[in-house]
């Protein structure tokens, strides 16, 4: 076989591998979207009593209540209207959990230091870079308490900047990796009324 033919065959094999990887990524993103929708459909969030003092105000250090859906302990619902997103939030971060829905990485809404991570799937955090200062973000816990935030800034961090990810006095931080995983898109949010 001639050298030119070998190069053409190798090039075709690489193109097929790339197409296969792209196809898998699209399939995986669609699967994750369906998983999040299924979890969200089963979550039951009551209307809070407007006359009662919320438990988290009486004891901010308490654990956020969780509901187990399909084996995942969910702590609430994240809503980002500018991106058309409403997603369940799993209470503990892990790679398998991230393949289902966004996860609480650290902190709590009750102590104003919650960080939520998600994959960059299109229907998860794939479009965080489109958020602009002032965009609304809400987190609703499983007691029906609604925590309102506004995007303050977006930054790009190195994947090894773990301490920087959770540093500062931000009540809510959202993050995901960029395409290819070289950096972390980090959205800092402040409380809003």
């Amino acid at each position: 076989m001639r050298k030119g033919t070998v190069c053409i065959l190798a090039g075709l094999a690489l193109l097929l591998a790339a197409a296969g990887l792209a196809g898998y990524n699209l399939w995986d993103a669609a699967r994750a979207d369906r998983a999040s929708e299924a979890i969200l459909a089963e979550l039951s969030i009551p209307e809070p009593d407007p006359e009662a003092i919320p438990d988290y105000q009486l004891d901010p250090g308490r654990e956020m209540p969780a509901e187990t859906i399909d084996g995942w302990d969910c702590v609430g619902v994240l809503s980002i209207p500018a991106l058309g997103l409403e997603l369940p939030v799993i209470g503990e971060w892990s790679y398998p959990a991230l393949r289902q829905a966004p996860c609480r990485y650290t902190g709590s809404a009750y102590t104003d230091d919650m960080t939520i991570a998600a994959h960059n799937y299109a229907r998860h955090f794939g479009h965080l870079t489109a958020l602009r200062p002032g965009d609304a973000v809400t987190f609703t816990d499983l007691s029906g308490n609604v925590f309102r935030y506004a995007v303050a800034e977006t930054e790009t961090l190195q994947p090894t900047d773990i301490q920087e990810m959770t540093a500062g006095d931000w009540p809510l931080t959202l993050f995901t990796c960029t395409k290819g995983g070289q950096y972390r898109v980090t959205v800092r949010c402040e409380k809003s009324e």
Side-chain angles (χ1 to χ4, degrees):
M1 200 180 282
R2 293 190 347 223
K3 186 177 178 180
T5 304
V6 170
C7 288
I8 290 172
L9 290 175
L12 287 174
L14 290 172
L15 285 174
L16 286 173
L21 182 59
Y24 172 78
N25 287 339
L26 290 172
W27 171 84
D28 194 39
R31 181 211 45 78
D33 186 32
R34 289 190 302 274
S36 288
E37 286 178 3
I39 292 169
L40 193 61
E42 290 192 41
L43 277 176
S44 55
I45 299 177
E47 289 291 325
D49 178 357
E51 302 297 318
I53 297 173
D55 287 343
Y56 75 89
Q57 288 181 350
L58 299 172
D59 181 15
R62 72 186 293 252
E63 281 295 315
M64 296 174 67
E67 180 178 352
T68 303
I69 308 278
D70 293 333
W72 305 105
D73 291 335
C74 299
V75 293
V77 175
L78 181 71
S79 178
I80 309 174
L83 301 180
L85 296 178
E86 185 169 82
L87 297 161
V89 177
I90 296 173
E92 295 288 327
W93 175 92
S94 71
Y95 284 114
L98 277 179
R99 294 190 72 227
Q100 308 303 310
C103 299
R104 179 176 57 165
Y105 187 72
T106 61
S108 169
Y110 304 160
T111 52
D112 291 332
D113 62 353
M114 187 161 62
T115 300
I116 298 175
H119 273 307
N120 62 4
Y121 300 135
R123 295 292 303 151
H124 284 189
F125 282 5
H127 299 289
L128 280 186
T129 56
L131 290 175
R132 298 293 171 249
D135 284 345
V137 177
T138 61
F139 175 78
T140 305
D141 74 2
L142 294 185
S143 297
N145 299 303
V146 179
F147 299 85
R148 298 181 196 291
Y149 307 94
V151 171
E153 64 182 54
T154 301
E155 56 186 316
T156 303
L157 300 173
Q158 296 291 325
T160 55
D161 288 343
I162 304 301
Q163 287 185 334
E164 182 66 26
M165 187 71 61
T166 57
D169 293 326
W170 299 105
L172 179 66
T173 297
L174 310 173
F175 79 93
T176 190
C177 59
T178 58
K179 301 285 184 204
Q182 294 179 331
Y183 300 99
R184 301 293 180 259
V185 174
T186 307
V187 174
R188 309 292 192 174
C189 300
E190 54 196 8
K191 287 191 124 178
S192 67
E193 296 304 318

